[in-house]
Amino acid sequence: MILVLKPNVDETTREYQRLESHLTNLTSIEFRVHHVQGHEQLLTEIYLIGNTAALSLEEMRSFPGVDHAVRVSEEYRVLGRHKDDTRPSEFTYNGVRFGQDNLNVFAGLCAVDSPESVEAMMKALQENGQVCTRMGAYKPRTSPYSFQGHGKNCLKYVFELAGKYGIKVIAMEVTHESHVDEINDALDATGRPTGVMLQIGTRNTQNFELLKSVGRQQEFPVLLKRGFGITLDESLHAAEYLASEGNQKVVFGLRGMKTNIGDPHRNMVDFAHIPVVKRITRMPVCIDPSHSVGTRSRSSDGILDILHVTAQGVIAGANMILVDFHPYPNKAVVDGPQALRLEELPAFLEDVRMVREVFEKRVQLYRGESTAVGS
Ligand code: PEP
Ligand code: MN
């Protein structure tokens, strides 16, 4: 059961303390208090765990500080959608809103290789009105002999250049909890010119200790990639690890599944699951067409497969696109062959804009046919 308290509740009041002592005295029930900082108000949610079937919703709702109470009927307690659940499906970070009803593009480098590449990329993004990017500093590689990323050594110039070109959010993978501290320190050292969305890669989707530590910090939002060889349910539970530790600013990323049936693409594209994730959880959904497709193959219609699957994701309601670009793909040290080129950026953005417009028209077309999410 979830108790959503009235906004900006003061935890020092007698009302709040009466509720807290009531909950403490319940047998076989534990509770966790979560704070969600919204645009204008602080929301407090109390998660009751244990034998909550014995509790009366009416009684819980009658406590003066309680705005509403939700009986959790589904698995994904914090991030799931439940009956009569009015909790938000959006959050704002560093001035950028992430919701199930909008779309942000994160075009950028799979791996940071040089300040020149970073600067060329960011300059192009600014010229094309973009405020988000991807920049890999810590790269999880199949072979220990492959380039592992510049790590903390590149963070300062990446953040400074982001500030110079007006980039507000950088998606950056972390593979160890110490990377979060390194990112925080580098942001401090550069005067916090930008923001970071921590990315948990597909190889770490079930690294539970990493999830717990990234979930305990509430400074940075998190992009959690779906595990490439596990069920959707298992990946959604991984997202719950982040949220159950307190961080609800989570975007769920689809990036294709590892199976030979996906050949000739690097992975089997799974963007048909966008509406599924939006229906059963409150998370905005990201697509990664680059790591799904993995090649620059072009169809007989002249369009790259990466662009086709991007459009397929956008028309199904994707909320974020994480996509590899590189100013000098021949020199890229990681995933050069799948990178789009800077001169392709304007057409890419126009394509996304056109398809998003069609998605919005589709929503209008079917409005009124359904009365509730999932019906
Ligand atoms: C990436 O986005 O750089 C990456 C390695 O993705 P994934 O974890 O999906 O393979
Ligand atoms: Mn890559």
Side-chain angles (χ1 to χ4, degrees), residues 286-305:
C286 174
I287 53 167
D288 180 341
S290 305
H291 289 86
S292 301
V293 170
T295 75
R296 281 182 56 89
S297 304
R298 205 180 285 274
S299 165
S300 60
D301 54 24
I303 300 176
L304 294 174
D305 292 9

PDB file of all heavy atoms in Angstrom, residues 286-305:
ATOM      1  N   CYS A 286      12.951   5.160 -23.277  1.00  0.00           N
ATOM      2  CA  CYS A 286      13.996   5.564 -24.232  1.00  0.00           C
ATOM      3  C   CYS A 286      14.230   4.444 -25.244  1.00  0.00           C
ATOM      4  O   CYS A 286      14.088   3.269 -24.914  1.00  0.00           O
ATOM      5  CB  CYS A 286      15.284   5.810 -23.446  1.00  0.00           C
ATOM      6  SG  CYS A 286      16.734   6.152 -24.456  1.00  0.00           S
ATOM      7  N   ILE A 287      14.584   4.810 -26.465  1.00  0.00           N
ATOM      8  CA  ILE A 287      15.025   3.814 -27.445  1.00  0.00           C
ATOM      9  C   ILE A 287      16.476   4.113 -27.835  1.00  0.00           C
ATOM     10  O   ILE A 287      16.882   5.272 -27.868  1.00  0.00           O
ATOM     11  CB  ILE A 287      14.145   3.811 -28.718  1.00  0.00           C
ATOM     12  CG1 ILE A 287      14.041   5.229 -29.318  1.00  0.00           C
ATOM     13  CG2 ILE A 287      12.773   3.228 -28.410  1.00  0.00           C
ATOM     14  CD1 ILE A 287      13.469   5.264 -30.717  1.00  0.00           C
ATOM     15  N   ASP A 288      17.223   3.066 -28.094  1.00  0.00           N
ATOM     16  CA  ASP A 288      18.594   3.215 -28.579  1.00  0.00           C
ATOM     17  C   ASP A 288      18.690   2.500 -29.927  1.00  0.00           C
ATOM     18  O   ASP A 288      18.952   1.297 -29.993  1.00  0.00           O
ATOM     19  CB  ASP A 288      19.570   2.604 -27.562  1.00  0.00           C
ATOM     20  CG  ASP A 288      21.019   2.716 -28.012  1.00  0.00           C
ATOM     21  OD1 ASP A 288      21.261   2.927 -29.220  1.00  0.00           O
ATOM     22  OD2 ASP A 288      21.916   2.585 -27.167  1.00  0.00           O
ATOM     23  N   PRO A 289      18.437   3.229 -31.021  1.00  0.00           N
ATOM     24  CA  PRO A 289      18.471   2.590 -32.335  1.00  0.00           C
ATOM     25  C   PRO A 289      19.885   2.157 -32.732  1.00  0.00           C
ATOM     26  O   PRO A 289      20.039   1.185 -33.477  1.00  0.00           O
ATOM     27  CB  PRO A 289      17.946   3.680 -33.281  1.00  0.00           C
ATOM     28  CG  PRO A 289      18.167   4.978 -32.552  1.00  0.00           C
ATOM     29  CD  PRO A 289      18.074   4.656 -31.094  1.00  0.00           C
ATOM     30  N   SER A 290      20.918   2.829 -32.205  1.00  0.00           N
ATOM     31  CA  SER A 290      22.289   2.516 -32.625  1.00  0.00           C
ATOM     32  C   SER A 290      22.731   1.151 -32.126  1.00  0.00           C
ATOM     33  O   SER A 290      23.265   0.332 -32.881  1.00  0.00           O
ATOM     34  CB  SER A 290      23.258   3.576 -32.090  1.00  0.00           C
ATOM     35  OG  SER A 290      22.840   4.853 -32.495  1.00  0.00           O
ATOM     36  N   HIS A 291      22.518   0.900 -30.820  1.00  0.00           N
ATOM     37  CA  HIS A 291      22.963  -0.386 -30.281  1.00  0.00           C
ATOM     38  C   HIS A 291      22.006  -1.515 -30.654  1.00  0.00           C
ATOM     39  O   HIS A 291      22.369  -2.682 -30.572  1.00  0.00           O
ATOM     40  CB  HIS A 291      23.188  -0.278 -28.763  1.00  0.00           C
ATOM     41  CG  HIS A 291      24.408   0.543 -28.455  1.00  0.00           C
ATOM     42  ND1 HIS A 291      24.346   1.912 -28.367  1.00  0.00           N
ATOM     43  CD2 HIS A 291      25.706   0.198 -28.290  1.00  0.00           C
ATOM     44  CE1 HIS A 291      25.573   2.373 -28.140  1.00  0.00           C
ATOM     45  NE2 HIS A 291      26.412   1.361 -28.083  1.00  0.00           N
ATOM     46  N   SER A 292      20.784  -1.186 -31.053  1.00  0.00           N
ATOM     47  CA  SER A 292      19.874  -2.217 -31.526  1.00  0.00           C
ATOM     48  C   SER A 292      20.313  -2.718 -32.890  1.00  0.00           C
ATOM     49  O   SER A 292      20.422  -3.916 -33.123  1.00  0.00           O
ATOM     50  CB  SER A 292      18.448  -1.664 -31.682  1.00  0.00           C
ATOM     51  OG  SER A 292      17.975  -1.175 -30.469  1.00  0.00           O
ATOM     52  N   VAL A 293      20.572  -1.790 -33.800  1.00  0.00           N
ATOM     53  CA  VAL A 293      20.831  -2.149 -35.201  1.00  0.00           C
ATOM     54  C   VAL A 293      22.316  -2.431 -35.443  1.00  0.00           C
ATOM     55  O   VAL A 293      22.669  -3.434 -36.067  1.00  0.00           O
ATOM     56  CB  VAL A 293      20.312  -1.026 -36.136  1.00  0.00           C
ATOM     57  CG1 VAL A 293      20.777  -1.252 -37.563  1.00  0.00           C
ATOM     58  CG2 VAL A 293      18.793  -0.963 -36.067  1.00  0.00           C
ATOM     59  N   GLY A 294      23.172  -1.519 -34.974  1.00  0.00           N
ATOM     60  CA  GLY A 294      24.613  -1.791 -35.006  1.00  0.00           C
ATOM     61  C   GLY A 294      25.312  -1.715 -36.350  1.00  0.00           C
ATOM     62  O   GLY A 294      26.472  -2.081 -36.455  1.00  0.00           O
ATOM     63  N   THR A 295      24.612  -1.277 -37.392  1.00  0.00           N
ATOM     64  CA  THR A 295      25.274  -1.140 -38.696  1.00  0.00           C
ATOM     65  C   THR A 295      24.723   0.111 -39.380  1.00  0.00           C
ATOM     66  O   THR A 295      23.691   0.645 -38.962  1.00  0.00           O
ATOM     67  CB  THR A 295      24.968  -2.312 -39.653  1.00  0.00           C
ATOM     68  OG1 THR A 295      23.626  -2.154 -40.146  1.00  0.00           O
ATOM     69  CG2 THR A 295      25.097  -3.644 -38.981  1.00  0.00           C
ATOM     70  N   ARG A 296      25.399   0.498 -40.461  1.00  0.00           N
ATOM     71  CA  ARG A 296      24.877   1.602 -41.275  1.00  0.00           C
ATOM     72  C   ARG A 296      24.261   1.049 -42.565  1.00  0.00           C
ATOM     73  O   ARG A 296      24.296   1.688 -43.604  1.00  0.00           O
ATOM     74  CB  ARG A 296      25.998   2.596 -41.601  1.00  0.00           C
ATOM     75  CG  ARG A 296      26.332   3.546 -40.457  1.00  0.00           C
ATOM     76  CD  ARG A 296      27.411   4.531 -40.883  1.00  0.00           C
ATOM     77  NE  ARG A 296      27.040   5.270 -42.067  1.00  0.00           N
ATOM     78  CZ  ARG A 296      26.375   6.425 -42.076  1.00  0.00           C
ATOM     79  NH1 ARG A 296      26.006   6.985 -40.946  1.00  0.00           N
ATOM     80  NH2 ARG A 296      26.088   7.026 -43.205  1.00  0.00           N
ATOM     81  N   SER A 297      23.662  -0.129 -42.477  1.00  0.00           N
ATOM     82  CA  SER A 297      23.036  -0.698 -43.674  1.00  0.00           C
ATOM     83  C   SER A 297      21.859   0.174 -44.087  1.00  0.00           C
ATOM     84  O   SER A 297      21.196   0.785 -43.241  1.00  0.00           O
ATOM     85  CB  SER A 297      22.514  -2.102 -43.392  1.00  0.00           C
ATOM     86  OG  SER A 297      23.556  -2.893 -42.916  1.00  0.00           O
ATOM     87  N   ARG A 298      21.635   0.175 -45.395  1.00  0.00           N
ATOM     88  CA  ARG A 298      20.611   1.048 -45.970  1.00  0.00           C
ATOM     89  C   ARG A 298      19.616   0.206 -46.747  1.00  0.00           C
ATOM     90  O   ARG A 298      20.007  -0.734 -47.437  1.00  0.00           O
ATOM     91  CB  ARG A 298      21.324   2.020 -46.916  1.00  0.00           C
ATOM     92  CG  ARG A 298      20.655   3.313 -47.184  1.00  0.00           C
ATOM     93  CD  ARG A 298      21.518   4.135 -48.157  1.00  0.00           C
ATOM     94  NE  ARG A 298      22.703   4.722 -47.546  1.00  0.00           N
ATOM     95  CZ  ARG A 298      22.728   5.887 -46.922  1.00  0.00           C
ATOM     96  NH1 ARG A 298      21.632   6.607 -46.827  1.00  0.00           N
ATOM     97  NH2 ARG A 298      23.841   6.350 -46.391  1.00  0.00           N
ATOM     98  N   SER A 299      18.366   0.509 -46.622  1.00  0.00           N
ATOM     99  CA  SER A 299      17.344  -0.254 -47.338  1.00  0.00           C
ATOM    100  C   SER A 299      17.277   0.174 -48.804  1.00  0.00           C
ATOM    101  O   SER A 299      17.849   1.195 -49.188  1.00  0.00           O
ATOM    102  CB  SER A 299      16.009  -0.007 -46.647  1.00  0.00           C
ATOM    103  OG  SER A 299      14.955  -0.418 -47.459  1.00  0.00           O
ATOM    104  N   SER A 300      16.531  -0.567 -49.595  1.00  0.00           N
ATOM    105  CA  SER A 300      16.391  -0.228 -51.023  1.00  0.00           C
ATOM    106  C   SER A 300      15.701   1.125 -51.193  1.00  0.00           C
ATOM    107  O   SER A 300      15.799   1.749 -52.243  1.00  0.00           O
ATOM    108  CB  SER A 300      15.581  -1.308 -51.729  1.00  0.00           C
ATOM    109  OG  SER A 300      14.301  -1.383 -51.135  1.00  0.00           O
ATOM    110  N   ASP A 301      15.018   1.606 -50.161  1.00  0.00           N
ATOM    111  CA  ASP A 301      14.388   2.929 -50.252  1.00  0.00           C
ATOM    112  C   ASP A 301      15.389   4.053 -49.988  1.00  0.00           C
ATOM    113  O   ASP A 301      15.038   5.231 -49.990  1.00  0.00           O
ATOM    114  CB  ASP A 301      13.193   3.028 -49.284  1.00  0.00           C
ATOM    115  CG  ASP A 301      13.561   2.679 -47.850  1.00  0.00           C
ATOM    116  OD1 ASP A 301      14.753   2.804 -47.495  1.00  0.00           O
ATOM    117  OD2 ASP A 301      12.666   2.280 -47.082  1.00  0.00           O
ATOM    118  N   GLY A 302      16.648   3.694 -49.686  1.00  0.00           N
ATOM    119  CA  GLY A 302      17.675   4.714 -49.480  1.00  0.00           C
ATOM    120  C   GLY A 302      17.818   5.149 -48.030  1.00  0.00           C
ATOM    121  O   GLY A 302      18.673   5.975 -47.691  1.00  0.00           O
ATOM    122  N   ILE A 303      16.993   4.602 -47.139  1.00  0.00           N
ATOM    123  CA  ILE A 303      17.006   5.039 -45.732  1.00  0.00           C
ATOM    124  C   ILE A 303      17.780   4.034 -44.883  1.00  0.00           C
ATOM    125  O   ILE A 303      17.608   2.819 -45.023  1.00  0.00           O
ATOM    126  CB  ILE A 303      15.547   5.179 -45.214  1.00  0.00           C
ATOM    127  CG1 ILE A 303      14.788   6.211 -46.066  1.00  0.00           C
ATOM    128  CG2 ILE A 303      15.526   5.573 -43.744  1.00  0.00           C
ATOM    129  CD1 ILE A 303      13.310   6.359 -45.706  1.00  0.00           C
ATOM    130  N   LEU A 304      18.652   4.561 -43.989  1.00  0.00           N
ATOM    131  CA  LEU A 304      19.425   3.682 -43.104  1.00  0.00           C
ATOM    132  C   LEU A 304      18.494   2.920 -42.159  1.00  0.00           C
ATOM    133  O   LEU A 304      17.503   3.486 -41.662  1.00  0.00           O
ATOM    134  CB  LEU A 304      20.389   4.516 -42.246  1.00  0.00           C
ATOM    135  CG  LEU A 304      21.522   5.259 -42.952  1.00  0.00           C
ATOM    136  CD1 LEU A 304      22.269   6.148 -41.954  1.00  0.00           C
ATOM    137  CD2 LEU A 304      22.489   4.272 -43.593  1.00  0.00           C
ATOM    138  N   ASP A 305      18.841   1.654 -41.882  1.00  0.00           N
ATOM    139  CA  ASP A 305      18.022   0.857 -40.939  1.00  0.00           C
ATOM    140  C   ASP A 305      17.899   1.578 -39.596  1.00  0.00           C
ATOM    141  O   ASP A 305      16.843   1.531 -38.945  1.00  0.00           O
ATOM    142  CB  ASP A 305      18.663  -0.525 -40.702  1.00  0.00           C
ATOM    143  CG  ASP A 305      18.608  -1.419 -41.950  1.00  0.00           C
ATOM    144  OD1 ASP A 305      18.232  -0.905 -43.029  1.00  0.00           O
ATOM    145  OD2 ASP A 305      18.948  -2.610 -41.840  1.00  0.00           O
TER     146      ASP A 305
END
